[in-house]
Amino acid sequence: MSLLEARDIVAGYGETEILHGVSITVEKNQIVTIIGPNGSGKSTLLKTIFGLLRPKQGSVRFNGEDITGTPPETMVRKGLCYVPQSSNVFPSLSIHENLEMGAFVRKDDYSQRIREVYDLFPDLIKRKNDRAGTLSGGQRQMLAVARALMVDPVMLLLDEPSAGLAPNLVASVLQIIIGINQAGVAILLVEQNAREALKLSSRGYILASGQNQLEDDGNKLLNNPDVARLYLGG
Ligand SMILES: Nc1ncnc2c1ncn2[C@@H]1O[C@H](COP(=O)(O)OP(=O)(O)OP(=O)(O)O)[C@@H](O)[C@H]1O
Ligand SMILES: [Mg+2]
Protein backbone atom coordinates (compact mmCIF):
# COMPACT_ATOMS: atom_id res chain seq x y z
CA MET A 1 0.00 0.00 0.00
CA SER A 2 1.35 3.42 -0.98
CA LEU A 3 1.40 6.21 1.58
CA LEU A 4 -0.15 8.80 -0.71
CA GLU A 5 -1.99 8.09 -3.90
CA ALA A 6 -3.61 10.89 -5.90
CA ARG A 7 -5.51 9.44 -8.87
CA ASP A 8 -6.76 11.25 -11.97
CA ILE A 9 -7.19 14.58 -10.22
CA VAL A 10 -9.28 17.16 -12.07
CA ALA A 11 -9.31 20.47 -10.20
CA GLY A 12 -9.13 24.22 -10.63
CA TYR A 13 -10.61 27.52 -9.57
CA GLY A 14 -14.27 28.22 -10.29
CA GLU A 15 -14.94 27.30 -13.89
CA THR A 16 -11.25 27.22 -14.78
CA GLU A 17 -9.86 23.72 -14.88
CA ILE A 18 -6.12 23.64 -14.09
CA LEU A 19 -5.40 19.95 -13.46
CA HIS A 20 -6.71 17.65 -16.16
CA GLY A 21 -6.34 14.24 -14.59
CA VAL A 22 -3.07 14.21 -12.64
CA SER A 23 -1.85 11.14 -10.76
CA ILE A 24 0.97 10.90 -8.27
CA THR A 25 2.12 8.27 -5.79
CA VAL A 26 4.43 8.55 -2.78
CA GLU A 27 5.64 5.49 -0.87
CA LYS A 28 6.43 5.47 2.84
CA ASN A 29 9.66 7.33 3.67
CA GLN A 30 10.21 8.52 0.11
CA ILE A 31 11.17 11.98 -1.08
CA VAL A 32 9.27 12.68 -4.31
CA THR A 33 9.79 15.88 -6.28
CA ILE A 34 7.42 17.57 -8.70
CA ILE A 35 8.98 19.88 -11.25
CA GLY A 36 7.44 21.76 -14.13
CA PRO A 37 7.10 25.20 -15.71
CA ASN A 38 5.49 28.16 -13.92
CA GLY A 39 1.74 27.87 -13.98
CA SER A 40 1.72 24.14 -14.73
CA GLY A 41 -0.38 23.43 -11.66
CA LYS A 42 2.16 22.22 -9.09
CA SER A 43 0.81 24.37 -6.25
CA THR A 44 -2.75 23.58 -7.30
CA LEU A 45 -1.96 19.88 -6.97
CA LEU A 46 -0.58 20.26 -3.44
CA LYS A 47 -3.58 22.38 -2.43
CA THR A 48 -5.93 19.73 -3.79
CA ILE A 49 -4.13 16.89 -1.99
CA PHE A 50 -4.32 18.86 1.26
CA GLY A 51 -8.05 19.55 0.89
CA LEU A 52 -7.82 23.30 0.29
CA LEU A 53 -9.41 22.65 -3.10
CA ARG A 54 -11.98 19.96 -3.70
CA PRO A 55 -11.26 18.01 -6.90
CA LYS A 56 -14.02 17.80 -9.51
CA GLN A 57 -12.89 14.28 -10.27
CA GLY A 58 -10.34 11.85 -8.93
CA SER A 59 -9.35 10.69 -5.48
CA VAL A 60 -6.69 11.11 -2.83
CA ARG A 61 -5.79 8.18 -0.59
CA PHE A 62 -3.49 8.53 2.41
CA ASN A 63 -2.42 5.51 4.48
CA GLY A 64 -5.04 3.44 2.69
CA GLU A 65 -7.89 5.79 3.51
CA ASP A 66 -9.88 7.89 1.06
CA ILE A 67 -9.28 11.49 2.18
CA THR A 68 -10.52 13.27 -0.94
CA GLY A 69 -11.68 16.78 -0.03
CA THR A 70 -11.16 16.26 3.71
CA PRO A 71 -10.64 19.64 5.45
CA PRO A 72 -7.01 20.61 6.14
CA GLU A 73 -7.38 20.39 9.92
CA THR A 74 -8.42 16.75 9.62
CA MET A 75 -5.50 16.12 7.27
CA VAL A 76 -3.13 17.47 9.91
CA ARG A 77 -4.64 15.14 12.52
CA LYS A 78 -4.02 12.23 10.16
CA GLY A 79 -0.35 13.22 9.89
CA LEU A 80 -0.36 15.04 6.56
CA CYS A 81 1.02 18.60 6.76
CA TYR A 82 1.45 21.30 4.15
CA VAL A 83 3.82 24.25 3.88
CA PRO A 84 2.52 26.73 1.32
CA GLN A 85 4.69 28.61 -1.17
CA SER A 86 4.20 31.97 0.56
CA SER A 87 2.56 33.56 3.62
CA ASN A 88 3.53 30.48 5.58
CA VAL A 89 4.35 32.08 8.95
CA PHE A 90 2.55 34.58 11.20
CA PRO A 91 4.86 37.63 10.92
CA SER A 92 3.53 39.47 13.98
CA LEU A 93 3.91 36.46 16.29
CA SER A 94 7.21 35.38 17.79
CA ILE A 95 9.06 32.35 16.50
CA HIS A 96 8.08 30.45 19.61
CA GLU A 97 4.41 31.42 19.20
CA ASN A 98 4.53 30.28 15.58
CA LEU A 99 5.72 26.86 16.72
CA GLU A 100 2.96 26.73 19.33
CA MET A 101 0.43 27.55 16.60
CA GLY A 102 1.85 24.63 14.65
CA ALA A 103 0.85 22.35 17.50
CA PHE A 104 -2.74 23.59 17.53
CA VAL A 105 -4.29 20.20 16.87
CA ARG A 106 -2.29 18.56 19.66
CA LYS A 107 -4.05 17.99 22.93
CA ASP A 108 -0.99 16.43 24.60
CA ASP A 109 2.13 18.02 26.07
CA TYR A 110 4.29 19.07 23.13
CA SER A 111 7.19 20.60 25.09
CA GLN A 112 9.45 17.67 24.17
CA ARG A 113 8.56 18.09 20.50
CA ILE A 114 9.30 21.81 20.56
CA ARG A 115 12.80 21.00 21.91
CA GLU A 116 13.36 18.43 19.14
CA VAL A 117 12.28 20.93 16.52
CA TYR A 118 14.61 23.61 17.90
CA ASP A 119 17.42 21.03 17.81
CA LEU A 120 16.82 20.67 14.07
CA PHE A 121 16.85 24.45 13.55
CA PRO A 122 19.50 25.98 15.83
CA ASP A 123 19.07 29.39 14.15
CA LEU A 124 15.51 29.55 15.41
CA ILE A 125 16.14 28.95 19.09
CA LYS A 126 18.54 31.90 19.25
CA ARG A 127 15.70 34.12 18.09
CA LYS A 128 12.74 32.38 19.70
CA ASN A 129 11.27 35.59 21.13
CA ASP A 130 11.72 37.70 17.99
CA ARG A 131 8.80 38.37 15.71
CA ALA A 132 8.76 36.04 12.69
CA GLY A 133 8.45 39.10 10.46
CA THR A 134 12.02 40.07 11.35
CA LEU A 135 13.50 36.81 10.03
CA SER A 136 15.43 36.57 6.77
CA GLY A 137 13.80 34.76 3.86
CA GLY A 138 15.74 31.59 4.57
CA GLN A 139 14.97 31.58 8.28
CA ARG A 140 11.33 32.22 7.54
CA GLN A 141 11.19 29.13 5.32
CA MET A 142 12.89 27.14 8.07
CA LEU A 143 10.28 28.36 10.54
CA ALA A 144 7.45 27.38 8.19
CA VAL A 145 8.86 23.86 7.94
CA ALA A 146 9.52 23.75 11.69
CA ARG A 147 5.94 24.75 12.38
CA ALA A 148 4.63 21.90 10.24
CA LEU A 149 6.88 19.47 12.12
CA MET A 150 5.26 20.34 15.45
CA VAL A 151 2.53 17.74 14.93
CA ASP A 152 5.10 15.01 14.24
CA PRO A 153 3.71 14.38 10.74
CA VAL A 154 3.91 11.21 8.67
CA MET A 155 4.25 13.25 5.50
CA LEU A 156 5.01 16.83 4.48
CA LEU A 157 3.86 18.64 1.35
CA LEU A 158 6.45 21.36 0.69
CA ASP A 159 5.80 24.03 -1.93
CA GLU A 160 9.10 25.58 -3.03
CA PRO A 161 10.79 25.76 0.36
CA SER A 162 13.92 27.23 -1.22
CA ALA A 163 12.19 29.89 -3.33
CA GLY A 164 14.08 33.17 -3.44
CA LEU A 165 17.03 31.93 -1.41
CA ALA A 166 20.72 32.40 -2.19
CA PRO A 167 22.39 29.22 -3.54
CA ASN A 168 24.18 28.40 -0.25
CA LEU A 169 20.86 28.64 1.62
CA VAL A 170 19.13 26.46 -0.96
CA ALA A 171 21.65 23.75 -0.12
CA SER A 172 21.03 24.05 3.60
CA VAL A 173 17.24 23.96 3.22
CA LEU A 174 17.54 20.82 1.10
CA GLN A 175 19.93 19.35 3.68
CA ILE A 176 17.32 19.90 6.37
CA ILE A 177 14.71 18.22 4.20
CA ILE A 178 16.98 15.18 3.94
CA GLY A 179 17.33 15.17 7.74
CA ILE A 180 13.55 15.32 8.22
CA ASN A 181 13.12 12.48 5.77
CA GLN A 182 15.75 10.38 7.53
CA ALA A 183 13.74 10.81 10.72
CA GLY A 184 10.93 8.92 8.95
CA VAL A 185 8.85 11.65 7.31
CA ALA A 186 7.82 11.20 3.67
CA ILE A 187 8.15 14.34 1.57
CA LEU A 188 6.34 15.55 -1.51
CA LEU A 189 8.40 18.47 -2.72
CA VAL A 190 7.74 21.11 -5.37
CA GLU A 191 11.03 22.76 -6.37
CA GLN A 192 12.39 25.25 -8.87
CA ASN A 193 15.90 24.07 -8.06
CA ALA A 194 15.01 20.97 -9.98
CA ARG A 195 18.47 19.49 -10.36
CA GLU A 196 19.28 19.67 -6.65
CA ALA A 197 15.84 18.39 -5.68
CA LEU A 198 15.95 15.41 -8.05
CA LYS A 199 19.36 14.42 -6.66
CA LEU A 200 17.81 13.77 -3.25
CA SER A 201 14.56 12.24 -4.54
CA SER A 202 13.74 8.62 -5.12
CA ARG A 203 11.09 9.61 -7.67
CA GLY A 204 10.35 12.68 -9.74
CA TYR A 205 7.32 13.85 -11.66
CA ILE A 206 7.19 16.41 -14.43
CA LEU A 207 3.95 18.32 -14.61
CA ALA A 208 3.17 20.45 -17.66
CA SER A 209 -0.08 22.25 -18.49
CA GLY A 210 -1.92 20.43 -15.74
CA GLN A 211 -0.95 16.96 -16.95
CA ASN A 212 1.57 14.28 -16.05
CA GLN A 213 4.39 14.63 -18.55
CA LEU A 214 6.91 12.10 -17.26
CA GLU A 215 7.71 10.20 -14.09
CA ASP A 216 10.84 8.25 -13.24
CA ASP A 217 13.48 7.66 -10.60
CA GLY A 218 15.12 10.95 -9.62
CA ASN A 219 18.52 10.04 -11.05
CA LYS A 220 16.99 8.75 -14.30
CA LEU A 221 15.23 12.06 -14.85
CA LEU A 222 18.51 13.84 -14.12
CA ASN A 223 20.30 11.77 -16.74
CA ASN A 224 17.58 12.03 -19.36
CA PRO A 225 18.89 14.45 -22.03
CA ASP A 226 15.38 15.58 -23.06
CA VAL A 227 14.49 16.33 -19.46
CA ALA A 228 17.76 18.21 -18.99
CA ARG A 229 17.17 20.30 -22.10
CA LEU A 230 13.50 21.07 -21.47
CA TYR A 231 13.23 21.30 -17.70
CA LEU A 232 16.67 21.54 -16.11
CA GLY A 233 18.13 24.36 -18.15
CA GLY A 234 20.38 22.16 -20.34
N1 LIG B 1 -6.45 31.29 -6.49
C1 LIG B 1 -6.46 31.20 -7.84
N2 LIG B 1 -7.52 31.60 -8.57
C2 LIG B 1 -7.52 31.49 -9.91
N3 LIG B 1 -6.50 30.98 -10.65
C3 LIG B 1 -5.42 30.56 -9.98
C4 LIG B 1 -5.33 30.65 -8.54
N4 LIG B 1 -4.14 30.16 -8.17
C5 LIG B 1 -3.51 29.78 -9.29
N5 LIG B 1 -4.27 30.03 -10.40
C6 LIG B 1 -3.93 29.71 -11.79
O1 LIG B 1 -3.73 28.31 -11.90
C7 LIG B 1 -2.66 28.01 -12.80
C8 LIG B 1 -1.69 27.06 -12.08
O2 LIG B 1 -1.14 27.76 -10.97
P1 LIG B 1 -0.23 27.06 -9.91
O3 LIG B 1 0.02 28.06 -8.86
O4 LIG B 1 -0.82 25.77 -9.51
O5 LIG B 1 1.06 26.78 -10.78
P2 LIG B 1 2.55 26.39 -10.33
O6 LIG B 1 2.97 25.24 -11.19
O7 LIG B 1 2.58 26.21 -8.85
O8 LIG B 1 3.37 27.70 -10.75
P3 LIG B 1 4.67 28.38 -10.07
O9 LIG B 1 5.84 27.57 -10.55
O10 LIG B 1 4.67 29.75 -10.65
O11 LIG B 1 4.50 28.35 -8.58
C9 LIG B 1 -2.07 29.34 -13.22
O12 LIG B 1 -2.58 29.64 -14.49
C10 LIG B 1 -2.57 30.31 -12.17
O13 LIG B 1 -2.73 31.60 -12.73
MG1 LIG C 1 3.54 27.15 -7.34
Side-chain angles (χ1 to χ4, degrees):
M1 180 184 74
S2 301
L3 181 59
L4 180 85
E5 212 172 348
R7 279 278 153 265
D8 305 319
I9 299 289
V10 175
Y13 306 93
E15 294 297 292
T16 315
E17 190 179 301
I18 302 293
L19 303 175
H20 313 291
V22 173
S23 298
I24 194 162
T25 302
V26 180
E27 307 297 338
K28 284 194 178 66
N29 284 322
Q30 266 187 338
I31 301 180
V32 173
T33 292
I34 305 171
I35 63 172
N38 293 121
S40 57
K42 304 179 298 295
S43 296
T44 302
L45 178 60
L46 293 193
K47 285 187 255 181
T48 307
I49 291 171
F50 193 59
L52 291 164
L53 289 175
R54 184 173 258 286
K56 288 187 193 133
Q57 284 173 49
S59 64
V60 183
R61 295 184 75 81
F62 182 63
N63 256 332
E65 185 186 0
D66 189 338
I67 56 159
T68 317
T70 299
E73 188 182 324
T74 311
M75 299 282 187
V76 172
R77 285 183 208 285
K78 291 179 189 298
L80 182 63
C81 285
Y82 163 69
V83 180
Q85 194 167 351
S86 56
S87 308
N88 48 23
V89 300
F90 297 101
S92 60
L93 298 182
S94 72
I95 285 149
H96 197 75
E97 287 164 340
N98 266 276
L99 293 182
E100 288 176 336
M101 292 290 285
F104 76 105
V105 300
R106 290 184 73 141
K107 298 280 175 274
D108 58 338
D109 175 15
Y110 54 79
S111 49
Q112 170 66 20
R113 185 61 183 165
I114 227 166
R115 281 193 292 274
E116 290 167 1
V117 168
Y118 276 133
D119 282 345
L120 262 174
F121 301 92
D123 281 359
L124 294 182
I125 193 157
K126 285 181 226 148
R127 304 198 48 192
K128 64 188 285 235
N129 297 315
D130 294 353
R131 280 161 36 121
T134 66
L135 292 174
S136 69
Q139 290 168 331
R140 216 186 260 228
Q141 290 295 35
M142 301 281 183
L143 177 58
V145 175
R147 193 158 67 94
L149 287 175
M150 281 305 299
V151 294
D152 217 343
V154 178
M155 177 165 187
L156 282 183
L157 309 171
L158 299 178
D159 198 348
E160 301 203 26
S162 73
L165 302 183
N168 60 322
L169 287 176
V170 171
S172 53
V173 168
L174 294 178
Q175 207 52 48
I176 283 191
I177 289 170
I178 293 175
I180 293 167
N181 174 250
Q182 284 169 348
V185 183
I187 310 251
L188 180 56
L189 177 67
V190 169
E191 255 300 332
Q192 293 290 338
N193 293 290
R195 221 176 260 283
E196 284 67 28
L198 288 174
K199 274 184 205 155
L200 54 90
S201 301
S202 21
R203 298 285 289 173
Y205 286 78
I206 298 173
L207 204 62
S209 307
Q211 288 177 311
N212 287 83
Q213 207 65 24
L214 196 58
E215 100 174 70
D216 210 337
D217 290 349
N219 60 339
K220 289 201 178 127
L221 287 178
L222 274 173
N223 294 319
N224 177 327
D226 292 331
V227 170
R229 184 169 50 82
L230 288 169
Y231 301 105
L232 305 175

